[in-house]
Each structure stands twice: as C-alpha cells, then as structure tokens.
Amino acid sequence: MEGAPLETENFFNSEVLKKNGMNKSDIVHILISSFQGSYDGVYVADKNGVGVMVNQAYSKITGVKNNELLGKSMETVVKEGIVSESVTLKVLDEKRPVTIIQTVRGKELLVTGSPVFDPGGAISFVVTNVRDISDLNQMKNALYQSRKLTEKYLSEIEDLKKRELIQMHLDGIVAQSQEIIKVYHLARKVAKVDSGVLVLGESGVGKEVIVNYLHNESDRADKPLIKVNCGAIPKHLLESELFGYEKGAFTGADSHGKPGLFELANGGTIFLDEIGDMPIDLQVKLLRVLQEFEIMRVGGRKSIKIDVRVISATHMNLEEMVDKNDFRRDLYYRLNIVPIRIPPLRERKADIVPLAFYFLNKTNKKSKLNKRFHPEILQFFEKYHWPGNIRELENLVERLVITSDHDEIHIKDLPPNLLRGLEKTTTEKGKLKEILANVERKIIKEQMEESRTTRRAAMELGISQSALVKKMQKLGI
C-alpha cells in the first residue's frame, strides 16, 4: 500500500472490530508494520475469515468494491463467485503463509495470505496482499509467440537446407559430409560475383564439379563455360589456344585466323585447370588479361575487349612455387581472391558410401545391369585411404560392376592389389566378422535415425520387425 491505509469509515467494519476487541489504530499498526511502502492491494480478515479491512489499491486492482467484502466471510465471497478460491481460508486451515493464483472477476492475481498470531499463538487476523499478474501473463504469451515464431523460422531454414541438398543430388552433386557442404555454401556465395576463384585440392577430388556449380549458380549460367587444361596443351601452342591468332601468324596457321578460348568464353566463364603448369612468360600475358579484360591475338595489332569470369584450379602448392619464382606472385594474388579448398576423400568419409552408390547406379544404368554391394565391401570403402580420391572410387566401382560374376559385389571381387591391402587391414583391425558387425551396426543406426520406428526401419531394410529388433539387441543398439 501507499503509506498508511486510509482511515475512512468505509474501509472498516466497526462492529466486527469491536467483537474482536480491536480498534482502528490496531489495524493501522498491523498494516504499517507488515506492508509499509507496498503498492499491492491489501485485504484483512479476522480469525473467522470475515473481512475487516480492504485498501483502495485492492479495489483498484480487482474491481471489487469494499462493501462486497467487508463484514462477509470468505466462504460467502467464494460462493457469490467474487473470487475463485480463498487464500484466507487456506491460511486459517494450514496456519502458515500461503500463496496462490486467484481469479477475481476474470482477472488472474498473485495472492499471498499471512497469519497474524496473538500472544497465545492463535491466529487473530489474516493479512492478504494481491498483485496483478495479467501483464506478466501477457509477457509470457508474447515470449511464447516469439519462441514459436523462432521455431518456425528455424524449421524453414532447415527445410531450405534440405531442399538445397536435394537440389545438389539432382545436379549430380553428392554431398553428405559437413566438410563438403561448407565448400558448396561458400561456392554459392561466390557464384553471384565475378571475383577470381582459385580451386585447390588433390587430383581427383572433384574440382571440375565445383567449377560447374560456380558457373551454373552464377548470372552467366546461360553463357559458355570453356574449360582449358593448361597442362595438357603443348606450351608452344597454349598462347594461341587461349588468345587466338590472326591469319598468317605462323606456319600452319588457319588462313582465316582463329579466335581463342577467351573470346569463345565471352560473356561466360573460362576455367583454367592446372594453372600451375602455365609457362612463366605466358603468365605475364594472362595477368594483363585479368587486369585490363582485353586480349590480343597472336600476330594481331589491336586489343579485343572481353567480358569473362576466370576460375582457375591446381593440385600444386602455388605458394611454394611463388617462393621458388616458378609462379608470378602478382598473378597468384590476382587468381587467389577467393580460394576454395576441396578436402580429399579420406577427410570426408561421410561421402564415401553415398558416392559409391551414386557411381553404382550410374554404371548400372549405362551398362543395363542390376549389381548391388555386399555390406562388407562398403566397410572396405570407408577404411580405404583413396589416394586417387573420387576419380579412383568412380573407376573402381565401374570396374567392379563390369567384372564381378554375380549381382552382388563382394570383397573377393576387388583387384588383387587392394585385396592384399585388405588382408593387412583385417589382420590389424580384427576379424571379418567384426567388420561386418560394425557395418550392420552403422546401417541400422542410420536407418533408425531416419525412420524413427523399428517397423518403418525394418520395412526400409527389407527384413521383419522382429528380425531387426533381434539384430539391434545382438549389436548392442
């Protein structure tokens, strides 16, 4: 309450006070000592639960007038529906302070009743203070709505990620591991701008796949994507291939001249693969193209403006080549504005099995076959270190599909050199039975995470639910 309660006759029931041997000053003393400085509503009842005092704050908060409470027992007040339940009666019954959520005229209130004991230890009065928590409930509802909205946004983001992953698979991109998904997220950002990109990674990791993705996601997707392997073209021909030549530029030149690959890529993208193999003298001319966006044909006298996005790639360590003066530092910085490193297959094990199935389906379709993998060979794929990366995996799967005698591809179908490596691995890691158990355990765990129930998982795995449950118990899942 604000200071002392009002000493107005309307706020006291004199007859009830006299019956209890009290006067107004006694009540004022109780209230001041108990709730000095309180802004809460205050209601006081005697030992029989009859209202003897109510302050203005109580009436303001609850909307209940003082004459509806004073002189009435709380049992009557509850029966009349003024309050949902009485904290006063609970205090008289339990003889201790009690706090409840009370509804008064449809409004939720936080109500605390405190007993006042006489010298003999009996309750003489119950003092109740009331606090409006409707604002608190509104805040709680607002917080709940905010959380629901946040969950909705997070769900939509997750759906977008899943759709993006599905789209990658539709485009022939197999990406399950976090390592390669990060690469594609970076590639998607870079695709929308024309900054130079240097794709780094070992031979066979799929650098060309990333380049295709960069081009297809860019605003140049409807223009040409020209690919050049700088290591496959003889050095003395590379300049004329890149920049073209005029008629009569050299012996054997076409009589009409020939546009170079940069001109053919105009408006689109040119991919300079194995850029580390480019001769040092040609690097100077490439740098000028990247700076001026114009080329000059071999034997030509005028510059030709071009609009080309340049993406380069290498498996070499260009920084070391720069230190050894085998690669121009200024060209390296121009090409390396945004580096994208593709991790080797051994660092992205989550992609190995999906890739193997992708190549299996691809080869089956091409060869009109219906081969499948035995689980043990999938275990081998995950253990193998893949020095040739994805290219090695693709070639091995195609070889196995074509050369295996049965529809199911087994470990014994592997080439002899890989079988020797497998024997060594098996000796070091444990018996084949243990390897197969690990494969089964992995497949069942992944299927259960996706299916959620044993019934659905068993259906997807092609076994009965009881057989699946027994396997799970046996494998400790």
Side-chain angles (χ1 to χ4, degrees):
M1 67 184 173
E2 241 179 290
L6 246 82
E7 293 190 26
T8 308
E9 189 66 32
N10 289 338
F11 289 90
F12 298 90
N13 188 299
S14 301
E15 292 180 6
V16 176
L17 290 176
K18 288 176 182 178
K19 287 180 183 178
N20 286 277
M22 301 289 289
N23 56 40
K24 296 176 187 177
S25 61
D26 294 326
I27 295 297
V28 171
H29 177 72
I30 292 170
L31 292 174
I32 290 175
S33 61
S34 301
F35 300 103
Q36 184 66 36
S38 172
Y39 289 88
D40 296 340
V42 178
Y43 165 83
V44 181
D46 65 11
K47 61 185 178 182
N48 298 313
V50 177
V52 296
M53 180 253 168
V54 59
N55 72 349
Q56 284 184 324
Y58 184 97
S59 298
K60 186 176 180 181
I61 291 171
T62 63
V64 178
K65 295 178 181 178
N66 54 342
N67 57 15
E68 295 179 86
L69 298 173
L70 296 178
K72 286 184 180 180
S73 72
M74 284 309 302
E75 289 180 348
T76 302
V77 173
V78 172
K79 285 180 182 178
E80 290 178 353
I82 296 173
V83 299
S84 58
E85 59 179 324
S86 170
V87 74
T88 299
L89 297 179
K90 286 181 178 290
V91 171
L92 291 172
D93 181 51
E94 299 179 21
K95 297 178 174 54
R96 64 177 181 86
V98 177
T99 298
I100 63 171
I101 301 293
Q102 185 184 71
T103 303
V104 180
R105 298 267 166 90
K107 182 181 285 189
E108 277 193 327
L109 304 170
L110 183 67
V111 180
T112 298
S114 301
V116 177
F117 296 96
D118 63 18
I123 295 177
S124 55
F125 292 91
V126 177
V127 180
T128 300
N129 76 309
V130 177
R131 181 168 296 170
D132 187 356
I133 60 170
S134 57
D135 289 342
L136 182 62
N137 285 334
Q138 287 176 5
M139 289 174 64
K140 187 167 72 174
N141 289 334
L143 179 61
Y144 173 77
Q145 294 300 326
S146 176
R147 284 178 177 169
K148 293 292 288 182
L149 193 60
T150 301
E151 289 172 5
K152 177 174 176 286
Y153 288 152
L154 289 174
S155 176
E156 288 175 356
I157 290 169
E158 201 59 38
D159 286 342
L160 283 172
K161 286 182 178 178
K162 288 178 181 176
R163 285 199 293 271
E164 181 178 298
L165 199 58
I166 290 168
Q167 186 59 48
M168 284 181 178
H169 282 275
L170 292 174
D171 292 340
I173 299 168
V174 180
Q176 295 289 341
S177 67
Q178 287 301 312
E179 293 83 2
I180 200 65
I181 287 174
K182 287 178 182 177
V183 169
Y184 279 104
H185 283 168
L186 174 59
R188 169 162 286 188
K189 291 179 185 177
V190 178
K192 298 302 180 184
V193 296
D194 282 341
S195 301
V197 176
L198 179 60
V199 184
L200 303 168
E202 297 176 6
S203 294
V205 292
K207 293 191 286 291
E208 192 169 324
V209 177
I210 288 288
V211 173
N212 290 336
Y213 184 78
L214 283 166
H215 178 72
N216 293 333
E217 290 293 316
S218 74
D219 296 333
R220 299 173 179 267
D222 59 341
K223 301 295 182 181
L225 169 59
I226 303 297
K227 300 176 182 179
V228 189
N229 189 326
C230 299
I233 301 173
K235 294 181 179 180
H236 66 281
L237 295 179
L238 187 55
E239 180 179 0
S240 60
E241 285 295 315
L242 290 175
F243 307 131
Y245 58 84
E246 298 290 356
K247 60 181 180 179
F250 50 85
T251 303
D254 190 290
S255 59
H256 300 289
K258 181 183 176 183
L261 297 173
F262 269 92
E263 286 183 70
L264 295 177
N266 195 37
T269 305
I270 189 166
F271 170 43
L272 303 177
D273 197 8
E274 299 303 342
I275 191 69
D277 289 326
M278 180 172 284
I280 198 80
D281 58 329
L282 192 52
Q283 292 178 26
V284 180
K285 296 181 179 181
L286 176 60
L287 179 62
R288 181 176 179 275
V289 172
L290 297 179
Q291 289 173 336
E292 306 296 335
F293 287 99
E294 59 183 30
I295 57 102
M296 184 177 291
R297 291 182 180 182
V298 176
R301 296 184 177 180
K302 64 177 182 178
S303 297
I304 301 171
K305 283 287 184 182
I306 55 167
D307 173 22
V308 175
R309 198 232 179 121
V310 178
I311 300 174
S312 53
T314 183
H315 70 281
M316 300 179 179
N317 189 326
L318 290 187
E319 289 185 0
E320 287 184 1
M321 293 181 67
V322 167
D323 292 338
K324 295 176 182 178
N325 295 320
D326 292 330
F327 200 87
R328 290 185 62 93
R329 187 178 299 276
D330 45 9
L331 178 59
Y332 171 68
Y333 289 141
R334 177 65 66 171
L335 295 172
N336 194 37
I337 295 175
V338 181
I340 296 180
R341 179 186 176 272
I342 306 176
L345 193 54
R346 61 183 173 275
E347 292 181 11
R348 33 185 285 217
K349 290 186 178 295
D351 292 330
I352 293 174
V353 171
L355 279 167
F357 276 106
Y358 174 76
F359 295 134
L360 174 71
N361 296 331
K362 181 181 175 182
T363 308
N364 273 334
K365 186 176 180 180
K366 182 174 69 173
S367 305
K368 297 181 180 178
L369 295 169
N370 190 28
K371 299 293 180 74
R372 62 184 183 275
F373 291 128
H374 189 277
E376 66 182 11
I377 204 163
L378 297 176
Q379 178 74 7
F380 166 78
F381 286 161
E382 290 191 322
K383 297 290 184 184
Y384 185 56
H385 64 285
W386 300 108
N389 292 294
I390 297 174
R391 189 180 294 122
E392 182 183 7
L393 175 59
E394 181 177 13
N395 293 340
L396 177 61
V397 170
E398 184 172 356
R399 175 177 177 174
L400 292 171
V401 170
I402 294 169
T403 61
S404 61
D405 295 325
H406 305 284
D407 284 344
E408 190 169 62
I409 301 170
H410 289 260
I411 283 283
K412 61 182 176 62
D413 296 314
L414 288 169
N417 62 315
L418 294 184
L419 279 172
R420 285 192 294 272
L422 175 63
E423 288 172 5
K424 182 180 178 183
T425 303
T426 304
T427 303
E428 291 174 353
K429 299 293 183 181
K431 296 179 180 179
L432 186 59
K433 187 177 180 181
E434 295 174 359
I435 294 175
L436 291 174
N438 288 333
V439 174
E440 276 192 306
R441 190 177 291 108
K442 176 180 174 61
I443 292 172
I444 290 172
K445 278 184 176 180
E446 289 177 351
Q447 191 60 57
M448 281 300 298
E449 286 177 5
E450 183 179 335
S451 301
R452 302 292 184 185
T453 65
T454 54
R455 183 181 63 81
R456 191 174 299 169
M459 189 182 301
E460 292 294 329
L461 293 169
I463 59 176
S464 67
Q465 186 178 15
S466 60
L468 176 60
V469 172
K470 287 178 182 176
K471 277 184 177 291
M472 291 175 70
Q473 290 173 344
K474 181 180 178 183
L475 296 168
I477 300 175

